[in-house]
Amino acid sequence: MLSFLKNLFSQKEPEVQPTHATQSVYTSIDENIHYIKQGLYESDDIQIQKMTIQNKQSVIIYLETMVKTEQIQQNFLDPLMDESIELDNKINQLLANPDFKQENQLDQVIHSMIQGNCVLYFEGETHCYLLNSPQATHRSPDEPPNEKTIRGSHKGFIEDLDSNINFVRKRIQNPQLTVKYITKGDEENIKIAILYINGIANEETIAQVKERIEAISTDMIFSPGYIEEMIEEKQFSPFQQVLLTERPDRVDANLIEGRVAILTEGATDTLIVPVSFFTFFQSPDDYNNKYLAGSFFRILRLFSFLGALTLPAIYIAVVGFHFETIPYKMVGLVKGSIESIPFSPLSEALVMTITIELIREAGIRLPSPIGQTIGIVGGLIIGESVVNAGIISNIMVIVIALTAIMSFVIPVYELGNTVRLLSIPVMIGAATLGFVGIIFAFMIIAIHMCSIESFGTPYLSPLTPTRFSEFKDGIVRVPSWMMNRRPKDIQPQKKIFQKDSREWDNNE
Amino acid sequence: MNSKTNITTFQLGFLLIHAQIGVGILSMPHDIFKMAEEDSWITILLTGMFIQIFILLYGALQNRFPNKNLFEIARTLLGKKIGNIVTVLFSMAYISFAINVLARYVYLLNAWMMPHTPKWALLGVMCFTVFIIAKKNLQIIARFSIIASVVFTGFVISALFSMKDANFSFLLPVGANGVMPIIKGVQATTYSYFGYEFFLLFSPFIQPANKGIVRAATIANIFVTGFYFILVVVTIMYFTKKELLMIPEPVLFLIKSISFKIIERPDLFFTSMWIVLVATTLMITLYAVILGFRTVMTKAKINYIAIAVIALIFLGTLPINDMFKIKAFTTFNDQYLRIVIWALPIILLLISFIFNKKEVVKDK
């Protein structure tokens, strides 16, 4: 019934199928020029140069915006012009060059022109030559500003897929590192690369990743976020189910552990699957620090996750419902602070949370000198005067500021956002039922987290399902010579990661 | 069986622990003390052993039908019709158990923490939370109960914390009142232990099949006995006889008396944490009910069954709203559960022995 109505009211758009007629190269220059111009819809950046090379009529056609002309001149035209060698011999020599290819399908020719090839055609022949010299501007592989580390590698991915894969291959010099390309985006033809290490990564996971990416049907893949939303399991979950990173070293470590990385042309972010919740609390810095400091910071981050989620809620519950939990000596302090405030604790908290979000959002969008000013104006002046004016209690300002700091401690920016958003329902729970409300909000969040699986990996592993041996890297960080096995939850084919690396120490 | 819903024996152990420990822990020392007085701790140990006998008997039954749950066993042994009746009897027993748990949860929360909150609100939020997990699979419940186990550490630590004011002589004299009070105490305590029989229902979910199930149940039983033992011993040592006979929730009073520098009334936190234990008990019970109804009505959708069961429990709890009704209902529930949970599996085991019926395990 429903589908019938849908059919009734939806006008069927005639699907325009792009014609993939295979037109082979014409035998005259003008016909070819005409076809290519038509194929590119008379675009104004087509450059056509007719010339005579060793008495043969020829033409080069290219998109001036995509081709580096000096290189064409240097690498191909100059040698061809050299009259000391016969033209056919010269061409045969040049065909040994991977950037010089023979092609006889015109549609393929047009496609490669878009990718930065230059077409060379000699009158009367049934094929043409493609000269590859794309014009590309690369920025330097700077350290990504949102994943800074103090020590270790400072390299970051750039917007070029080939360079990014090059960075990974440079780190993992292993023939088992496999790259699979999938082209997606019907109007855009974006290249997506799936990277994994054959023999370590779980085959089922690889097949699943491929299947899900193949299933994507869209005109455009604007950013890795598109892919992320299309391949993740729980599509409405507030929790991040895919690790986004711009660091080659992080991709390297995850590939070796047996995960799969997805890189996209034109994006600096790499998607890594499968991940568990605790992956988001790991930072490459942990491994550069001593194990004690690394473990401490990791536990600090986990606690700040819990803190950011609950701190404002606990304050609201204590002030609103359970005033008796405040120690005797602090009662006067707290009471004095909130007594003259005209609003309920919940609205106080919401106003302050939104203010902090505003400051953060404004700070990101503005250039950094002004951004700092906004931070000072927002943080210090508003915070100070809002208390002086008696609109919001000073303890609430402390609580909300602490919450914000705690949420920024989480090394993955997206999860920090999740926490700040989730703290609002927890606050509402606290405002309606006190501690009981917090507990129920928490239980619902925990139930949701228990039911998430990322490509077959339980989200809360290794905490639950419990593998105490994996707490070593999942929750704390033990010294690196103790982490001998790969995490079991991603079901790697090769389970042993290393053997005893401190053998020299046992030889007494 | 879908491999995604399988659980490990480790998870089974936690499921059993959470099914057993629930709404009663706050008041249990008081209930036992009324019967067995200073010998309550002996009662706890005895009950643990008594329950262990049942676990072994159930294990024998389960061993004969490794890939079937209790409801399916009943259907094979007694035929489809009687099997269905047994299944419904079991499910009703669990529904009444859930009603009792909820009634006590609402009563205690109202008395202790939230005197002005309407009962239906406390009930509704609990029913909702339990509903969203019980309609999922057992694996998720198992994962959740492992996280929820953090609560036990809180209780044990705070109980041990109050040992500094404990008086060991309150445990003496041992056995002064003779054996009868202890036995009577056992009778009163078994109700707090119900939940161990769930392994009969969950055994088909365990992979690798049929290995270590009884061991997991035994370990869970030891844990539960130990946990109750600590609570009972600490409360007996902390309160005098007169006090303990008077206060209905000795564990909360115990925790209330501890005051830290930063938290004045830790009992409020513990009451909140105790809600998690109530929720896990309810989740597992409800899942068992849904499992039961699924065996009877194979075509009904899980969601509809879950909604119907939750609505039934919600409406059933509303009228039980004071201490006397709860007491009466508990007595009824206790007897009903004893008949169903003790008698039925044993009868099934006997039938299976007498007629020598066994599941034929296919060679792989």
Side-chain angles (χ1 to χ4, degrees), chain A residues 464-506:
Chain A
T464 168
T466 317
R467 290 196 197 87
F468 287 114
S469 61
E470 282 168 28
F471 280 22
K472 285 197 290 201
D473 190 27
I475 291 172
V476 294
R477 181 185 91 78
V478 296
S480 52
W481 46 266
M482 278 167 75
M483 297 186 256
N484 288 345
R485 282 167 181 278
R486 291 193 162 75
K488 219 170 155 188
D489 48 19
I490 46 179
Q491 299 161 2
Q493 294 180 36
K494 194 178 159 198
K495 293 192 172 60
I496 305 291
F497 172 70
Q498 62 185 10
K499 299 202 175 79
D500 192 3
S501 300
R502 289 180 60 89
E503 241 171 7
W504 54 268
D505 208 15
N506 302 335

Side-chain angles (χ1 to χ4, degrees), chain B residues 295-309:
Chain B
T295 349
V296 182
M297 302 181 283
T298 37
K299 278 180 188 159
K301 277 191 180 166
I302 277 200
N303 270 4
Y304 295 144
I305 298 179
I307 289 173
V309 171

Side-chain angles (χ1 to χ4, degrees), chain A residues 315-323 326 330-346 348-349 387 390-397 399:
Chain A
Y315 177 71
I316 291 172
V318 166
V319 169
F321 286 83
H322 313 291
F323 218 84
I326 304 175
M330 265 176 71
V331 172
L333 214 91
V334 178
K335 198 159 171 32
S337 150
I338 58 168
E339 210 166 30
S340 58
I341 308 297
F343 304 116
S344 73
L346 176 66
E348 267 183 90
V387 171
I391 301 174
I392 285 169
S393 64
N394 44 17
I395 294 188
M396 183 58 92
V397 173
V399 166

Side-chain angles (χ1 to χ4, degrees), chain A residues 338-508:
Chain A
I338 58 168
E339 210 166 30
S340 58
I341 308 297
F343 304 116
S344 73
L346 176 66
S347 41
E348 267 183 90
L350 285 180
V351 166
M352 275 325 278
T353 313
I354 290 168
T355 313
I356 289 218
E357 290 301 300
L358 283 176
I359 296 169
R360 187 192 55 82
E361 193 68 17
I364 295 175
R365 305 290 158 236
L366 288 169
S368 56
I370 310 177
Q372 283 176 2
T373 322
I374 286 287
I376 294 166
V377 171
L380 291 178
I381 301 182
I382 295 184
E384 186 63 35
S385 38
V386 109
V387 171
N388 282 341
I391 301 174
I392 285 169
S393 64
N394 44 17
I395 294 188
M396 183 58 92
V397 173
I398 297 173
V399 166
I400 296 292
L402 255 181
T403 309
I405 293 172
M406 282 175 171
S407 78
F408 292 130
V409 165
I410 301 165
V412 175
Y413 176 69
E414 288 80 7
L415 196 66
N417 291 344
T418 306
V419 171
R420 268 174 287 130
L421 282 182
L422 275 184
S423 71
I424 294 173
V426 181
M427 279 188 240
I428 294 172
T432 40
L433 286 175
F435 285 156
V436 179
I438 299 179
I439 286 286
F440 276 110
F442 238 79
M443 279 205 281
I444 289 168
I445 292 173
I447 289 169
H448 173 70
M449 288 172 85
C450 285
S451 62
I452 302 179
E453 281 185 5
S454 161
F455 290 88
T457 302
Y459 198 52
L460 282 179
S461 121
L463 180 66
T464 168
T466 317
R467 290 196 197 87
F468 287 114
S469 61
E470 282 168 28
F471 280 22
K472 285 197 290 201
D473 190 27
I475 291 172
V476 294
R477 181 185 91 78
V478 296
S480 52
W481 46 266
M482 278 167 75
M483 297 186 256
N484 288 345
R485 282 167 181 278
R486 291 193 162 75
K488 219 170 155 188
D489 48 19
I490 46 179
Q491 299 161 2
Q493 294 180 36
K494 194 178 159 198
K495 293 192 172 60
I496 305 291
F497 172 70
Q498 62 185 10
K499 299 202 175 79
D500 192 3
S501 300
R502 289 180 60 89
E503 241 171 7
W504 54 268
D505 208 15
N506 302 335
N507 301 337
E508 291 290 317

Side-chain angles (χ1 to χ4, degrees), chain A residues 23-39 48 50 59 61 106 110 121 123-125:
Chain A
Q23 176 64 53
S24 49
V25 174
Y26 294 103
T27 48
S28 82
I29 287 183
D30 290 334
E31 271 180 301
N32 281 328
I33 291 178
H34 179 74
Y35 189 87
I36 291 175
K37 268 190 155 180
Q38 285 299 314
I48 299 163
K50 291 184 183 174
V59 66
I61 315 166
L106 270 180
I110 292 173
Y121 178 70
E123 176 75 40
E125 288 184 8

Side-chain angles (χ1 to χ4, degrees), chain B residues 224-299:
Chain B
V224 173
T225 312
F227 186 70
Y228 286 166
F229 181 77
I230 291 173
L231 287 188
V232 166
V233 166
V234 171
T235 40
I236 295 174
M237 291 196 298
Y238 195 85
F239 296 107
T240 62
K241 194 171 172 179
K242 265 187 193 166
E243 282 173 327
L244 204 47
L245 284 173
M246 248 188 316
I247 46 177
E249 287 96 23
V251 176
L252 279 184
F253 276 91
L254 184 79
I255 296 167
K256 190 183 167 187
S257 59
I258 317 167
S259 111
F260 301 97
K261 281 265 153 58
I262 42 168
I263 307 166
E264 192 68 27
R265 285 272 308 274
D267 58 308
L268 292 184
F269 289 96
F270 277 91
T271 320
S272 318
M273 295 214 286
W274 160 82
I275 292 172
V276 178
L277 295 184
V278 178
T280 49
T281 309
L282 282 172
M283 283 166 200
I284 299 164
T285 314
L286 203 70
Y287 186 82
V289 175
I290 294 172
L291 205 68
F293 281 118
R294 280 272 285 184
T295 349
V296 182
M297 302 181 283
T298 37
K299 278 180 188 159

